[in-house]
């Protein structure tokens, strides 16, 4: 009978350690999920900032070429032609 009692005590101890370890791992998992969410938010904001800066840079390139800089004239001409095509398309749509 004492042998059975020792087995039960051993199982209870192991189960208690297992439950403690599981709770610890669940808490660690929750912390990691929160950190992941923070990092994803940070990456999203960085991507938006990069997009904004690229748009600003494109605007600066166009402004420089309009002010006489030869460096970005080709890009500016392409952008102006694209805008003219869009305007022509809109006018055609309104005419119909």
């Amino acid at each position: 009978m004492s042998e059975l009692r020792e087995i039960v005590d051993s199982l209870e101890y192991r189960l208690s350690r297992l439950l403690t370890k599981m709770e610890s791992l669940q808490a660690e998992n929750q912390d990691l999920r929160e950190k992941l969410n923070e990092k994803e938010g940070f990456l999203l904001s960085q991507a938006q900032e990069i997009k904004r800066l690229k748009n600003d840079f494109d605007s600066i390139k166009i402004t420089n070429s309009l002010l006489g800089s030869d460096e970005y004239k080709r890009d500016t001409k392409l952008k102006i032609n694209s805008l003219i095509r869009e305007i022509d398309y809109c006018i055609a749509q309104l005419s119909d």
Side-chain angles (χ1 to χ4, degrees), residues 9-75:
D9 288 343
S10 174
L11 284 174
E12 284 178 353
Y13 175 73
R14 289 180 184 175
L15 183 60
S16 172
R17 280 188 14 201
L18 185 62
L19 289 174
T20 303
K21 182 69 173 178
M22 185 183 75
E23 289 171 358
S24 169
L25 289 174
Q26 285 175 338
E28 182 180 358
N29 189 14
Q30 182 63 30
D31 289 341
L32 290 172
R33 286 179 192 269
E34 289 172 4
K35 287 180 182 178
L36 178 63
N37 287 337
E38 288 175 17
K39 299 297 181 187
E40 287 175 344
F42 178 75
L43 284 175
L44 181 61
S45 68
Q46 291 296 310
Q48 290 172 346
E49 178 70 11
I50 288 170
K51 186 176 180 179
R52 186 188 63 78
L53 289 173
K54 283 182 179 179
N55 288 338
D56 290 348
F57 181 67
D58 288 341
S59 296
I60 290 171
K61 286 191 315 187
I62 291 170
T63 303
N64 281 339
S65 67
L66 291 174
L67 292 174
S69 173
D70 291 334
E71 190 173 347
Y72 302 110
K73 270 196 177 180
R74 181 179 181 281
D75 292 338

